[in-house]
Amino acid sequence: MKAFVVEKYGKDGVRAAERPEPPVGDRDVLVRVSAAGINPLDKLVRDGEFKQVLKYKLPFVLGHDVAGVVTRVGSAVRGFQVGDEVYARPRDLRIGGFAEFIAIDMDDVAPKPASLTLQEAAAVPLVALAAWQILVDRAQVQPGQKVLIHAGAGGLGSTVIQLAKHLGAMVATTANTDSEKLVRDLGADVVVDYTQEDFSKVLSGYDLVLDSVGGANLEKSLAVLKPGGLAVSVVGPPDAGFAKQLGAPFFMGLVMNALSRKVRKKAKARGVRYEFFFMQANGSQLRELGALYDSGRLRPVIDSTFPFDRTLEAMAHVEQGRTKAGKVVVSMVPDNG
């Protein structure tokens, strides 16, 4: 099968290659990939950012979001059959969406939302799961709480805005001038144009901040939280909870706590909390989210679609910041994009 594989860590480490079809275990479904979403996480894994805790064996197929059609099922699989249209964020160490086929553990797969095309569905799993796990599992957002979502027009931000509104939160977001109408249409109550003003000077009393920018933006985010509030970052620095989540050795937790000591200390001084977030595969949550897409509570935001043979170009489009809003998708369907 054709695939895009990481042969070595680094910017030029991915190339198109012929790979054998993946073996199908007892609990696996084999999916013929129709489309795959591009995520910032693809770049991080390609560059070896997590190689101390995510020990991929080179070469490996890249790609964290997938939608397609089941072509085989393992002997222990229940609930899926050949011909089903599905979507998934395969678990870590079993990624591989940038290929013609992928074998995925049945616990990570869900039926594709009926209202979405396969290309739309491919844009959903990672960002929707991250939104759910941050807002529902981690922060337990309640109606009336105030949530600030940075980069609201992005793939993650555009999803979190919609889910936060569904949960009854008052939502603020940062965006540029061109994106203001989009984020308001998605449900943002307050929009701070970061090209015009400093969000930390105009916002206060927030229960939760979701940071996907990092650096000074994260530290300024602590200032808008009310006492006891929570800042969650998806770009780091990592903490001991991340090491524990991945089952890394105890010393890695100490290393990661050292990396995040500065921001945790600043948070503590303000009476707020900081946590790093790294999403987990979860097919049952994708089923719940699928119902929200089918009911119209959530909708995917697609920036552009590239043909599969231009996957490296699609990755570069994201990496170079050329995405105007939402997600970039690669499609196996000819003449799509």
Side-chain angles (χ1 to χ4, degrees):
M1 67 174 185
K2 294 175 183 173
F4 285 87
V5 301
V6 178
E7 292 197 322
K8 62 181 181 180
Y9 287 121
K11 185 171 184 179
D12 301 319
V14 181
R15 74 173 185 89
E18 286 289 331
R19 297 277 288 179
E21 266 188 39
V24 181
D26 291 348
R27 294 174 43 82
D28 292 346
V29 295
L30 183 68
V31 177
R32 179 189 289 278
V33 178
S34 299
I38 306 280
N39 293 285
L41 182 57
D42 298 316
K43 172 189 179 294
L44 296 174
V45 170
R46 178 203 70 191
D47 290 350
E49 293 287 338
F50 300 120
K51 65 184 178 184
Q52 299 301 324
V53 286
L54 288 177
K55 296 187 180 295
Y56 285 99
K57 185 178 177 184
L58 296 165
F60 63 92
V61 183
L62 196 58
H64 290 80
D65 268 336
V66 63
V69 180
V70 176
T71 59
R72 270 175 62 195
V73 297
S75 59
V77 170
R78 302 291 178 267
F80 295 100
Q81 58 189 17
V82 172
D84 285 352
E85 293 187 333
V86 296
Y87 72 147
R89 191 292 205 189
R91 63 190 57 184
D92 298 310
L93 303 182
R94 294 202 63 186
I95 63 170
F98 301 160
E100 292 182 299
F101 292 92
I102 181 173
I104 312 172
D105 188 289
M106 65 178 180
D107 286 348
D108 302 344
V109 183
K112 176 189 74 67
S115 60
L116 303 184
T117 66
L118 284 160
Q119 285 70 33
E120 290 171 332
V124 166
L126 187 146
V127 292
L129 285 170
W132 184 276
Q133 290 168 15
I134 291 167
L135 296 176
V136 178
D137 296 344
R138 186 78 66 99
Q140 298 173 346
V141 168
Q142 301 299 311
Q145 286 190 316
K146 294 169 68 175
V147 177
L148 168 60
I149 298 154
H150 286 297
L156 178 60
S158 60
T159 308
V160 181
I161 288 172
Q162 295 176 76
L163 185 58
K165 285 304 292 183
H166 170 66
L167 295 171
M170 195 288 286
V171 176
T173 193
T174 55
N176 62 27
T177 311
D178 293 340
S179 303
E180 180 169 354
K181 182 180 186 307
L182 170 67
V183 295
R184 287 198 185 279
D185 287 347
L186 293 172
D189 300 290
V190 177
V191 181
V192 178
D193 184 339
Y194 63 78
T195 68
Q196 303 293 325
E197 54 187 346
D198 181 344
F199 72 89
S200 65
K201 300 281 198 295
V202 295
L203 302 177
S204 62
Y206 279 72
D207 297 276
L208 172 69
V209 177
L210 172 57
D211 169 58
S212 56
V213 181
N217 193 79
L218 171 58
E219 293 191 12
K220 284 201 297 184
S221 294
L222 301 176
V224 309
L225 289 168
K226 72 179 191 183
L230 173 64
V232 174
S233 178
V234 295
V235 291
D239 56 18
F242 175 48
K244 184 177 180 183
Q245 176 181 326
L246 296 181
F250 176 73
F251 78 90
M252 286 303 300
L254 299 178
V255 169
M256 291 185 183
N257 259 355
L259 292 172
S260 58
R261 182 174 293 128
K262 180 183 173 187
V263 67
R264 288 186 295 108
K265 187 176 179 182
K266 288 191 173 186
K268 188 174 181 181
R270 289 183 172 274
V272 301
R273 294 169 293 139
Y274 165 76
E275 292 179 7
F276 176 68
F277 173 81
F278 192 82
M279 58 80 55
Q280 293 178 287
N282 191 314
S284 61
Q285 288 182 349
L286 280 179
R287 287 176 185 266
E288 292 188 68
L289 286 156
L292 293 177
Y293 281 93
D294 282 342
S295 71
R297 302 295 178 91
L298 301 178
R299 64 178 173 92
V301 179
I302 308 286
D303 173 83
S304 50
T305 305
F306 287 74
F308 176 65
D309 61 5
R310 289 168 57 196
T311 295
L312 295 180
E313 199 178 321
M315 286 187 67
H317 183 88
V318 173
E319 199 171 329
Q320 293 162 9
R322 288 187 278 154
T323 310
K324 290 185 172 62
K327 293 285 293 290
V328 172
V329 173
V330 293
S331 174
M332 296 294 187
V333 180
D335 302 318
N336 194 322

